Amino acid sequence: MLSTTQLNTMLTLQEGMNYKVNPNWLSANYAYLRAAMIESVEGIEHHGWKWWKAQHKDLSQLQMELVDIWHFALSSIIIQFKGDISQSASVIAQQLASGNSSVTFDGKDYPFSSLDILDNLQLMTGLCAANRFDVSLFIKIVEQADMTADELYRQYVGKNVLNFFRQDNGYKDGSYLKLWHGREDNEHLVDVLNTLDIDLPDYSDKVYQELKQRYPTN
């Protein structure tokens, strides 16, 4: 289960990135759950669902889609509580601790704890289309995609911090170097994430500093 520290870190990072995109993001009426819906459909595609042709499940891409969904879901939750990070974290923690294993949608109960990942991805897609998000359902899907809560946290922080780092180093004006010392920035990020303890209270700051040390200054 995600810890209070992890929830606060992710929510704070999400708030910061959204503010960087638009200081008035809380009142901009962006369709975050529409974005989450699209990512859910893409997750279904990466898993594979077509019975009439051979398909290969791309688990790493599916996991990346789930991390993207979490970005949009956190944004929606923060807006729901008018920017209050502490309250947002508390409500998410309560939902995770509730042990809820089903969701009611369109008058029907769906016991997602006993459904397979494709059915749950479809259920999440429908909920997002109806402007709803169920944290417990999402975490169940994360587990079904062979991710732990810690791995979700690790990948989320990594992607968010890299986005910050890119923006701070000229991504918008085109001066940012995506290739460092013959390797892409995503590869450097993986190295950094593999060397740091996710339980550090300043984990996200450490990730940023490690990227900064690796980035060419000339």
Side-chain angles (χ1 to χ4, degrees):
M1 185 179 294
L2 294 166
S3 70
T4 300
T5 298
Q6 289 174 337
L7 287 172
N8 277 292
T9 296
M10 291 189 290
L11 286 161
T12 300
L13 285 171
Q14 192 62 51
E15 177 190 44
M17 178 52 66
N18 291 350
Y19 185 86
K20 187 178 281 287
V21 172
N22 179 2
N24 299 312
W25 74 276
L26 279 171
S27 57
N29 293 319
Y30 294 139
Y32 287 109
L33 291 186
R34 180 189 300 158
M37 176 191 69
I38 299 301
E39 301 290 352
S40 298
V41 172
E42 291 178 1
I44 291 172
E45 289 288 347
H46 288 307
H47 181 282
W49 62 277
K50 298 172 182 176
W51 61 89
W52 61 88
K53 60 183 291 189
Q55 292 188 287
H56 171 69
K57 179 169 66 176
D58 192 334
L59 190 60
S60 62
Q61 285 296 320
L62 172 55
Q63 291 176 349
M64 288 177 62
E65 299 296 348
L66 293 176
V67 173
D68 288 341
I69 289 168
W70 195 228
H71 279 77
F72 296 128
L74 291 179
S75 299
S76 178
I77 292 169
I78 294 170
I79 290 172
Q80 182 182 350
F81 295 102
K82 299 179 173 58
D84 189 325
I85 298 299
S86 179
Q87 188 177 7
S88 298
S90 177
V91 168
I92 293 173
Q94 289 173 14
Q95 291 182 22
L96 293 176
S98 69
N100 184 40
S101 60
S102 67
V103 63
T104 301
F105 181 56
D106 198 22
K108 180 179 177 180
D109 292 334
Y110 291 86
F112 58 75
S113 61
S114 59
L115 298 178
D116 65 27
I117 187 171
L118 278 174
D119 285 339
N120 281 335
L121 281 165
Q122 181 173 313
L123 177 58
M124 182 167 63
T125 302
L127 287 170
C128 289
N131 209 33
R132 293 169 54 190
F133 191 84
D134 190 282
V135 173
S136 297
L137 168 62
F138 173 76
I139 293 299
K140 178 62 180 179
I141 296 171
V142 167
E143 294 171 357
Q144 290 177 316
D146 293 339
M147 292 178 77
T148 63
D150 282 348
E151 181 61 18
L152 172 65
Y153 175 69
R154 191 178 76 91
Q155 289 196 33
Y156 173 89
V157 171
K159 184 162 188 178
N160 196 296
V161 171
L162 180 59
N163 286 339
F164 266 108
F165 187 80
R166 287 170 171 172
Q167 292 294 327
D168 290 344
N169 287 277
Y171 199 70
K172 186 174 290 187
D173 63 23
S175 61
Y176 176 74
L177 301 175
K178 194 170 184 180
L179 199 68
W180 321 342
H181 314 300
R183 303 173 70 208
E184 287 195 3
D185 56 3
N186 280 307
E187 296 177 85
H188 287 283
L189 175 64
V190 170
D191 289 347
V192 168
L193 295 179
N194 286 337
T195 61
L196 292 175
D197 181 358
I198 65 170
D199 291 327
L200 292 169
D202 57 348
Y203 177 62
S204 60
D205 293 333
K206 292 290 187 185
V207 173
Y208 190 99
Q209 290 303 316
E210 289 291 328
L211 291 175
K212 186 176 180 180
Q213 288 181 17
R214 289 168 172 257
Y215 191 70
T217 55
N218 297 323

